[in-house]
């Protein structure tokens, strides 16, 4: 009985109901494939978000009946008021998020530390952008880019609104921009990954923990109320 009460308390902490009085079951191991892991986390997040919204008398099923209901749904889902989380990236772009709302609550249940996950997730998701910014600042890239622009000008083309894709590709090759980017991109990405090693490690650890929690949530949900196929994550 003590083991059963301990298991029930752990499940309750994850906003799961229906454990009391039932048998203790071991959740399956998370899948090995990356896509399957992503799908499992999205599914568990949706389960938690739907329950949170239901407690507030709201649902994501169907179109809101009025602007007021739509506003209530948005606030309940994403949070309201000033954003509590903020991270300015090396590119200069600032990403913000709420710590309230059902989506934040679901992520807290999955990842445990919202602030730590937010920082790691935003950093990892923007490694490519950071590497691209470093590449564009490289003198070799700036010189090749200048030659590329001159080539486009002579062809009557715009660098941002191409009318002739073939002309753009000829200028990329002829200016050396294509070969310069092919050389610099992997170097800069490797450098960025080295610089952000701590956040990459934190991201991997938090994701691994979330996968095990997601497996528990999914298993418990299927024991009670199996969702219809094709349901989408928020």
């Amino acid at each position: 009985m003590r083991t059963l009460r301990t298991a029930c308390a752990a499940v309750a902490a994850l906003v799961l109901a229906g454990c009391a009085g039932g048998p203790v079951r071991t959740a399956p191991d998370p899948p090995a494939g990356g896509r399957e892991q992503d799908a499992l986390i999205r599914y568990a997040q949706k389960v938690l978000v739907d329950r949170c919204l239901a407690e507030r008398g709201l649902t994501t099923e169907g179109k809101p009946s009025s602007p007021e209901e739509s506003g209530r749904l948005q606030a309940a889902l994403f949070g309201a008021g000033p954003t509590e989380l903020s991270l300015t990236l090396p590119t200069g772009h600032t990403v913000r998020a709420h710590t309230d709302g059902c989506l934040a609550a679901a992520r807290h249940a999955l990842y445990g530390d919202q602030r730590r996950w937010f920082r790691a997730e935003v950093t990892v998701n923007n490694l490519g952008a950071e590497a691209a910014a470093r590449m564009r600042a490289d003198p070799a890239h700036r010189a090749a880019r200048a030659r590329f622009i001159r080539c486009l000008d002579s062809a009557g083309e715009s660098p941002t609104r191409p009318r002739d894709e073939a002309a753009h590709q000829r200028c990329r090759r002829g200016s050396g921009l294509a070969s310069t980017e092919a050389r610099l991109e992997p170097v800069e990405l490797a450098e960025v990954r080295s610089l952000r090693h701590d956040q990459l490690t934190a991201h991997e650890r938090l994701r691994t923990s979330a996968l095990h929690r997601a497996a528990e949530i999914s298993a418990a949900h299927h024991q009670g109320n199996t969702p219809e196929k094709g349901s989408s994550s928020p």
Side-chain angles (χ1 to χ4, degrees):
M1 289 299 295
R2 182 177 181 181
T3 301
L4 178 59
R5 287 196 297 270
T6 301
C8 289
V11 174
L14 290 172
V15 203
L16 296 176
C19 177
V24 178
R25 301 184 183 181
T26 302
D29 291 333
R35 290 184 179 180
E36 291 79 7
Q37 291 176 350
D38 290 342
L40 175 61
I41 290 177
R42 287 195 302 268
Y43 176 79
Q45 179 174 285
K46 176 171 173 54
V47 168
L48 296 175
V49 166
D50 285 351
R51 284 181 176 154
C52 175
L53 290 174
E55 290 174 356
R56 305 184 187 193
L58 297 167
T59 177
T60 57
E61 303 299 329
K63 185 177 180 180
S65 60
S66 67
E68 291 75 16
E69 183 180 350
S70 178
R72 285 182 59 221
L73 178 60
Q74 292 294 311
L77 184 57
F78 299 111
T83 52
E84 298 86 1
L85 301 178
S86 176
L87 179 64
T88 299
L89 298 164
T91 59
H93 181 63
T94 299
V95 180
R96 296 182 174 85
H98 287 281
T99 58
D100 62 330
C102 289
L103 184 56
R107 287 172 177 167
H108 178 72
L110 286 168
Y111 299 102
D113 188 329
Q114 285 192 69
R115 292 183 182 278
R116 190 180 177 202
W117 171 249
F118 172 78
R119 183 176 180 83
E121 174 79 342
V122 170
T123 299
V124 170
N125 285 347
N126 286 277
L127 291 177
E130 183 178 353
R134 290 172 60 92
M135 179 184 67
R136 290 192 296 269
D138 189 283
H141 188 275
R142 289 202 301 266
R145 175 74 178 175
R147 293 192 297 270
F148 172 68
I149 297 299
R150 289 196 296 270
C151 176
L152 290 179
D153 287 343
S154 65
E157 283 290 314
S158 165
T160 56
R161 295 183 179 179
R163 294 173 299 175
D164 186 346
E165 187 60 35
H168 270 245
Q169 293 305 317
R170 285 195 301 271
C171 285
R172 278 182 55 81
R173 293 190 298 269
S175 65
L177 183 61
S179 59
T180 299
E181 289 185 346
R183 174 174 60 84
L184 290 177
E185 279 179 345
V187 173
E188 293 297 350
L189 185 56
E191 179 66 18
V192 166
R193 291 183 67 86
S194 177
L195 290 170
R196 311 302 167 207
H197 174 74
D198 289 350
Q199 292 303 319
L200 278 164
T201 300
H203 185 273
E204 184 63 26
R205 288 175 178 171
L206 290 166
R207 177 179 165 83
T208 298
S209 296
L211 281 168
H212 288 283
R213 289 173 182 150
E216 294 173 358
I217 292 166
S218 177
H221 187 67
H222 278 288
Q223 291 170 18
N225 179 26
T226 303
E228 296 180 1
K229 293 182 179 180
S231 60
S232 59
S233 62

